[in-house]
Amino acid sequence: MIPSYVLKGIFLDTPTPGELRCREGYALCRGGHFAGFYSALPQDLAALPLHDFSGQLILPGMCDLHLHAPQYSYCGTAMDLELLDWLQRYTYPEEGRYRDVAYARRGYTNLTRDLLHSATTRICAFATLHTDATLELMRQLSEAGIRGYVGKLAMDRNSPDFYREVTPEAGLAETRRWLDACTHGEYPGVLPMLTPRFTPSTSDAYMEGLGQLSREYGVAAQSHLSENLSEIEWVKALCPGTAFYAESYARYGLFGGEQPCVMAHCIYCPEEEDELIRRNGVFIAHCPTSNENVIAGIAPAARYLREGYHIGLGSDVAGGHTLNLFAVMASAVQVSKLRWRYVDKSQSPLTIPETLYMATSGGGALFGKVGLFEEGYAFDAIVLDDSALLNHLPFTPGERLERYAYLSDGRPQAKFVDGRRLF
Ligand code: GUN
Ligand code: FE
């Protein structure tokens, strides 16, 4: 049990999508949860330890709803191809190397170190199709104090032989071995998520087996949806019985409803697909930096947010070139302007408070009471040092946040997860 303490500073959070709430004072952490906010410290709390960050901005820890852990090694390179060619040319060769657990350990050590020092407190990560390397990632994240979900990939078609499971039966047996090794709290704070890479990678028989495992183990699912026009055409050809892409997951029970579900991108969803996303409470992971780099397109994120869909942000490393969710927030604003200019004038561009909402409470809802400084919420917080960005102008806290999003490296000065101070 974490002893109670008090954190002092300028607290910013987003109870609703457009609203930036700013409160200066003291937050009480009790039992790893947020337990009260005070503009002056009450007498009965005066004896508790105080982490004093007077004058500094404190935000809820951020949730990265979509990243590819093994791709971190080539992050910031391989920017010259569209998605399907990019996967074959760059992604599968590097992910294939994670068969070697020693290689995986090195890659995941670098990722975990950088995630730890980022704004991110909770993640939904894709690993590779290798069970033991995936468990190694879960171990490292858990020991570092990062919370969330990790997926061993399910892939039995349309990738090279060196990076493909040979049959659905073999893949399902490995998936079961993996679930048996990680569903009982073996990696505290880190849980499995079933992860068909995307429909082109996962046969119907494999998908059906994953649906059964999802029900048997009570495990959530994640994948990609309607990211790229060639991908969508390909899914149509592969799944003749479906009316739209999401049905290739939904017909096997892998599209929310009973179990939580995260779908990355959702750029080109037809109306019926949107309807199913909403009805099943599927979380959309909006990944604007990735959408730019692999030239996928611009997701209608402003509409999803304003119409009340579950939506969070994803770095989608290494389609996305950075783990820094502040940079992803800024990119979300920027690409929403391009969408407004070139695609659809019906939604005004996103604002920084709206993108903060997606990075914190929007995505955080996947993990329970996460992403707000409110009674009963997990005490996840990051403390920003923006002293290098201050000047003679009297910036408001909201402007300081905006400058931090556009101008900083996104590495907080201190970080708390479930009340535990990580640094
Ligand atoms: N679709 C299937 N695999 C991937 C991947 O690794 N990255 C992205 N951006 N899209 C995908
Ligand atoms: Fe992705």
Side-chain angles (χ1 to χ4, degrees), residues 14 17-19 302 305-306 348-359:
T14 50
E19 177 193 352
L305 179 73
R306 293 167 191 164
S348 57
L350 287 164
T351 65
I352 285 290
E354 285 179 315
T355 61
L356 180 66
Y357 177 91
M358 289 195 268

Side-chain angles (χ1 to χ4, degrees), residues 27-186:
L28 171 62
C29 175
R30 185 183 284 142
H33 292 91
F34 185 89
F37 183 83
Y38 310 90
S39 47
L41 191 64
Q43 256 316 311
D44 59 327
L45 302 182
L48 291 180
L50 174 69
H51 298 277
D52 188 350
F53 294 102
S54 296
Q56 290 184 240
L57 301 182
I58 302 177
L59 307 182
M62 293 186 175
C63 299
D64 189 339
L65 285 198
H66 184 71
L67 76 135
H68 296 265
Q71 296 175 18
Y72 189 55
S73 51
Y74 69 90
C75 192
T77 67
M79 296 294 190
D80 58 334
L81 295 175
E82 286 190 61
L83 177 68
L84 299 179
D85 294 330
W86 178 85
L87 289 171
Q88 298 289 342
R89 168 81 176 80
Y90 299 111
T91 307
Y92 298 154
E94 176 59 5
E95 291 192 9
R97 295 183 188 110
Y98 280 64
R99 170 192 303 275
D100 173 0
V101 179
Y103 187 90
R105 187 171 300 124
R106 285 206 301 278
Y108 289 150
T109 298
N110 290 326
L111 170 73
T112 303
R113 179 200 58 218
D114 291 352
L115 262 181
L116 173 63
H117 289 282
S118 76
T120 301
T121 46
R122 299 184 191 248
I123 63 173
C124 291
F126 284 42
T128 62
L129 55 74
H130 314 105
T131 300
D132 296 314
T134 301
L135 294 171
E136 170 63 19
L137 172 62
M138 296 173 86
R139 182 188 69 76
Q140 290 198 23
L141 292 169
S142 177
E143 287 179 5
I146 307 289
R147 303 292 204 214
Y149 296 100
V150 169
K152 170 212 167 310
L153 302 194
M155 299 173 61
D156 67 341
R157 63 179 181 184
N158 295 315
S159 52
D161 286 348
F162 66 79
Y163 193 48
R164 187 162 51 78
E165 293 167 298
V166 287
T167 60
E169 293 75 25
L172 287 165
E174 270 307 288
T175 304
R176 191 178 278 283
R177 181 167 85 82
W178 168 60
L179 290 174
D180 286 336
C182 66
T183 42
H184 320 96
E186 288 87 345

Side-chain angles (χ1 to χ4, degrees), residues 172 203-213 215 252 254:
L172 287 165
S203 67
D204 289 353
Y206 201 166
M207 207 74 94
E208 183 178 5
L210 292 175
Q212 283 162 3
L213 288 175
R215 290 184 286 284
Y252 301 116
L254 293 167

Side-chain angles (χ1 to χ4, degrees), residues 68 71 83 86-87 197-198 224 227 265 290 316:
H68 296 265
Q71 296 175 18
L83 177 68
W86 178 85
L87 289 171
R197 176 180 210 110
F198 66 160
H224 296 90
E227 175 182 9
H265 308 302
S290 169
D316 196 18

Side-chain angles (χ1 to χ4, degrees), residues 4 164 234 267 326:
S4 300
R164 187 162 51 78
W234 196 10
I267 300 176
F326 285 102

Side-chain angles (χ1 to χ4, degrees), residues 197-392:
R197 176 180 210 110
F198 66 160
T199 299
S201 294
T202 313
S203 67
D204 289 353
Y206 201 166
M207 207 74 94
E208 183 178 5
L210 292 175
Q212 283 162 3
L213 288 175
S214 168
R215 290 184 286 284
E216 180 181 336
Y217 286 81
V219 179
Q222 60 182 349
S223 195
H224 296 90
L225 182 68
S226 297
E227 175 182 9
N228 169 289
L229 293 170
S230 307
E231 168 207 16
I232 293 167
E233 286 308 306
W234 196 10
V235 171
K236 253 185 216 150
L238 287 166
C239 305
T242 56
F244 48 89
Y245 190 161
E247 278 193 352
S248 66
Y249 304 117
R251 63 184 172 173
Y252 301 116
L254 293 167
F255 202 71
E258 274 167 42
Q259 297 299 335
C261 177
V262 180
M263 285 286 149
H265 308 302
C266 305
I267 300 176
Y268 300 104
C269 299
E271 240 171 71
E272 314 93 281
E273 196 159 80
D274 276 347
E275 192 40 49
L276 194 59
I277 290 172
R278 185 204 285 280
R279 185 154 21 101
N280 287 1
V282 169
F283 280 75
I284 297 165
H286 176 43
C287 307
T289 45
S290 169
N291 298 161
E292 293 174 273
N293 292 327
V294 297
I295 329 174
I298 307 169
R303 178 173 64 76
Y304 283 136
L305 179 73
R306 293 167 191 164
E307 292 184 352
Y309 288 70
H310 285 301
I311 182 167
L313 291 183
S315 67
D316 196 18
V317 156
H321 57 277
T322 177
L323 289 172
N324 175 5
L325 287 180
F326 285 102
V328 176
M329 284 167 53
S331 167
V333 171
Q334 291 170 317
V335 303
S336 74
K337 292 178 177 175
L338 295 178
R339 187 173 168 90
W340 181 85
R341 169 65 65 199
Y342 295 114
V343 184
D344 175 10
K345 284 245 163 45
S346 73
Q347 295 289 335
S348 57
L350 287 164
T351 65
I352 285 290
E354 285 179 315
T355 61
L356 180 66
Y357 177 91
M358 289 195 268
T360 56
S361 38
L366 176 74
F367 304 93
K369 289 186 128 182
V370 167
L372 284 175
F373 296 125
E374 269 178 18
E375 206 99 0
Y377 274 67
F379 201 93
D380 291 4
I382 51 171
V383 180
L384 310 185
D385 174 4
D386 66 345
S387 51
L389 302 177
L390 298 178
N391 60 27
H392 58 283

